[in-house]
Amino acid sequence: MSWDETIRQAEQAGIDAAIEGEAATVTLNRPDKRNTQTPGFWAALTAIGAALPGTVRVVVLRAQGKSFSAGLDRSMFEAFGAFAAASDAEVDATVAGYQEAFTWWRRNDLITIAAVQGHAIGAGFQLALACDLRIAAGDALFAMKEPALGLVPDLAGTQPLVDAVGYARALEIVATTRYVDAAEALRIGLVNHVVPREELHTAAAKLAADLLAAPRGAVTESKALLRGASGRPYDEQRAAERAAQTRRFRDLAGMGES
């Protein structure tokens, strides 16, 4: 599907997308519904990720209205009974499809920024966690409410939460289902910056511009190194650094992408 066709379909699901140069902006635009999420919403996000032109290096995810995303649309709760009656394979395949909306944001060829205001609850919290970086307005509130409903966070948010704040703090946030305000989120490393609400979109745009300053190949290789660092022994990480730098030397010598 072409980019233009993808945008038109996404608008019907309540999502706007635009590209300017090497930066894309994805805007959740269901403010009357507090940007709550549905399977159609997730399908649109997945399609946007698949259709992004290769020239895009940075993606800003933001939202219209008071809330970034208040989680699942109420209509989703009616489907829980159907999940219980389905086979394990059917549930697994369905949820795996939903997760695709949350996974492409972590691709090594992109750096993604979530600009969060108001409530980021459940699926909304996990969508913010899908991004590499987060900027929060002063009124931002994060919460993982799934356990309060007898469920678990299943939209690819558990690993990035642990990566951001550590296991013990992540467990406490999830198991208590409590709210984390912007000040605490900054203190524990959940967000990179906190700004006044009226400056949120400007701050996200400036960060996007700053991320475009270095050559793409260097940023892509560096992101891949950092993402893999926690899963490699020290000596393997040093070897990965050497291999990445060899590729950079060759690219800078005109033997590849600069």
Side-chain angles (χ1 to χ4, degrees):
M1 188 184 302
S2 72
W3 176 249
D4 289 341
E5 291 172 328
T6 300
I7 291 175
R8 286 194 292 271
Q9 292 193 12
E11 288 174 350
Q12 297 175 8
I15 302 171
D16 298 331
I19 295 172
E20 184 175 348
E22 295 178 303
T25 302
V26 177
T27 304
L28 312 183
N29 196 9
R30 301 180 76 213
D32 57 321
K33 301 289 188 180
R34 298 173 68 202
N35 296 309
T36 51
Q37 303 177 28
T38 65
F41 179 99
W42 296 329
L45 282 179
T46 300
I48 288 170
L52 271 179
T55 53
V56 172
R57 296 176 53 189
V58 175
V59 181
V60 175
L61 173 64
R62 64 185 196 178
Q64 295 288 358
K66 294 182 179 180
S67 296
F68 176 76
S69 175
L72 297 181
D73 188 275
R74 289 181 180 273
S75 62
M76 288 291 295
F77 295 98
E78 299 171 2
F80 290 168
F83 279 122
S87 69
D88 290 357
E90 289 171 329
V91 175
D92 186 82
T94 299
V95 177
Y98 296 161
Q99 289 174 334
E100 290 298 315
F102 296 77
T103 57
W104 64 264
W105 305 88
R106 294 169 69 82
R107 282 167 25 191
N108 287 338
D109 62 321
L110 300 171
I111 296 184
T112 55
I113 306 163
V116 181
Q117 80 276 11
H119 289 92
I121 308 300
F125 190 4
Q126 292 184 80
L127 188 55
L129 286 166
C131 293
D132 297 306
L133 309 174
R134 285 163 290 281
I135 299 178
D139 67 347
L141 289 170
F142 301 88
M144 205 72 82
K145 290 296 186 180
E146 286 85 350
L149 300 171
L151 304 171
V152 300
D154 65 343
L155 295 172
T158 53
Q159 186 179 76
L161 180 60
V162 172
D163 288 346
V165 304
Y167 162 74
R169 188 170 275 123
L171 176 61
E172 185 255 341
I173 289 170
V174 172
T176 65
T177 75
R178 70 177 180 84
Y179 287 99
V180 177
D181 64 20
E184 181 183 1
L186 181 63
R187 186 174 70 252
I188 65 178
L190 182 58
V191 303
N192 299 82
H193 305 284
V194 174
V195 299
R197 172 71 174 263
E198 63 273 14
E199 298 177 14
L200 180 62
H201 291 175
T202 300
K206 182 182 184 303
L207 179 56
D210 291 345
L211 291 166
L212 292 172
R216 180 173 197 160
V219 174
T220 299
E221 291 278 16
S222 296
K223 178 177 176 179
L225 283 170
L226 293 169
R227 283 198 63 204
S230 62
R232 297 190 191 104
Y234 180 61
D235 287 346
E236 287 185 16
Q237 181 69 7
R238 291 192 302 120
E241 291 173 356
R242 297 194 298 271
Q245 195 72 299
T246 299
R247 291 189 291 272
R248 297 308 308 140
F249 287 145
R250 289 174 178 162
D251 286 343
L252 293 173
M255 300 171 65
E257 181 186 18
S258 62

